[in-house]
Amino acid sequence: ETGVTQTPRHLVMGMTNKKSLKCEQHLGHNAMYWYKQSAKKPLELMFVYNFKEQTENNSVPSRFSPECPNSSHLFLHLHTLQPEDSALYLCASSQDWDDTGWPQHFGDGTRLSIL
Amino acid sequence: SQQGEEDPQALSIQEGENATMNCSYKTSINNLQWYRQNSGRGLVHLILIRSNEREKHSGRLRVTLDTSKKSSSLLITASRAADTASYFCATDVPFSIKAAGNKLTFGGGTRVLVKP
């Protein structure tokens, strides 16, 4: 148990569907992250939120829309996705984000398949 | 662009042997972290080494850092079948759109198979 819970664990959707991924952390951390992990590619950072404020958007297409209503919850809203968006989407949290160095705690991810 | 790259990409060893993997990075860092990922699971933090440290130990793990060569190594001693996983190094780089704070960039990982 990492303290970071992601739901659903698996999601299959058509290209015209709208769905949301949910992440919740029970660690009292201030920063939350969305990553995309595709086969044979390095982990890609998508979004970072610090104290509910978006700090980073790594040139992610607008069909991915993040939402952070409070420091414990993070959502990723999906609409009109493409087949190349099929991947494992990982959520993580860390105590802080400065250059001190903070370990990130990951959920087990949502395996997304686009038909 | 990718900051860290692991070498080798894959490693197969017998239980009880040591496993060594390396990470090279391009720009200066404040710290470097190693993570493990079991199949179908999220990443688990293993160890963090700061730029002013040269070596760090945690149980059967030993991490070294050579900032002059921009490289790090992870050694797993007396490996077990449960050590079978992918191992990633991650380095900190500044955020792109705001000045305060750093984010992690990950390498492509080393897949380690420990055979019983």
Side-chain angles (χ1 to χ4, degrees), chain B residues 5-71:
Chain B
E5 293 188 18
E6 290 90 344
D7 171 64
Q9 290 188 344
L11 183 59
S12 180
I13 56 175
Q14 292 294 136
E15 204 164 28
E17 293 179 341
N18 295 342
T20 300
M21 60 211 84
N22 303 295
C23 170
S24 59
Y25 56 92
K26 297 172 184 172
T27 61
S28 62
I29 60 172
N30 296 302
N31 59 81
L32 184 145
Q33 303 183 33
W34 284 92
Y35 288 79
R36 183 189 74 233
Q37 184 179 32
N38 291 92
S39 180
R41 304 296 298 273
L43 281 71
V44 175
H45 178 261
L46 295 177
I47 201 164
L48 180 152
I49 187 166
R50 304 194 189 286
S51 59
N52 61 353
E53 297 175 311
R54 290 296 166 261
E55 187 170 313
K56 207 162 183 180
H57 297 253
S58 177
R60 293 183 295 110
L61 306 179
R62 182 172 77 96
V63 168
T64 64
L65 179 64
D66 187 336
T67 52
S68 67
K69 294 182 179 178
K70 292 187 171 58
S71 67

Side-chain angles (χ1 to χ4, degrees), chain A residues 37 53 55-56 97 100, chain B residues 37 50 97-98 102-103:
Chain A
Q37 188 175 36
E53 180 185 356
T55 309
E56 186 81 337
W97 61 92
T100 305
Chain B
Q37 184 179 32
R50 304 194 189 286
I97 63 176
K98 290 192 178 179
N102 290 346
K103 59 184 178 181

Side-chain angles (χ1 to χ4, degrees), chain A:
Chain A
E1 185 59 51
T2 65
V4 180
T5 303
Q6 289 188 244
T7 54
R9 289 295 312 278
H10 302 273
L11 179 61
V12 180
M13 56 187 285
M15 288 191 285
T16 58
N17 293 156
K18 289 184 180 181
K19 296 285 185 183
S20 296
L21 310 184
K22 180 182 176 183
C23 176
E24 183 175 2
Q25 57 101 354
H26 309 276
L27 302 168
H29 287 171
N30 296 319
M32 295 187 76
Y33 311 79
W34 278 118
Y35 289 91
K36 176 184 179 183
Q37 188 175 36
S38 306
K40 299 183 180 180
K41 291 179 70 175
L43 203 62
E44 299 173 65
L45 178 65
M46 299 174 74
F47 301 104
V48 182
Y49 276 83
N50 301 323
F51 288 126
K52 305 185 298 177
E53 180 185 356
Q54 188 177 128
T55 309
E56 186 81 337
N57 176 337
N58 237 18
S59 302
V60 179
S62 60
R63 57 186 184 269
F64 294 92
S65 174
E67 179 190 0
C68 188
N70 54 61
S71 58
S72 298
H73 293 85
L74 187 63
F75 295 89
L76 188 62
H77 303 299
L78 318 171
H79 65 98
T80 58
L81 295 192
Q82 304 299 310
E84 62 265 28
D85 297 323
S86 296
L88 180 67
Y89 288 85
L90 292 164
C91 173
S93 70
S94 65
Q95 181 62 51
D96 218 316
W97 61 92
D98 60 31
D99 59 10
T100 305
W102 297 96
Q104 292 188 11
H105 297 251
F106 284 78
D108 283 333
T110 295
R111 174 68 64 185
L112 177 65
S113 299
I114 306 300
L115 301 178

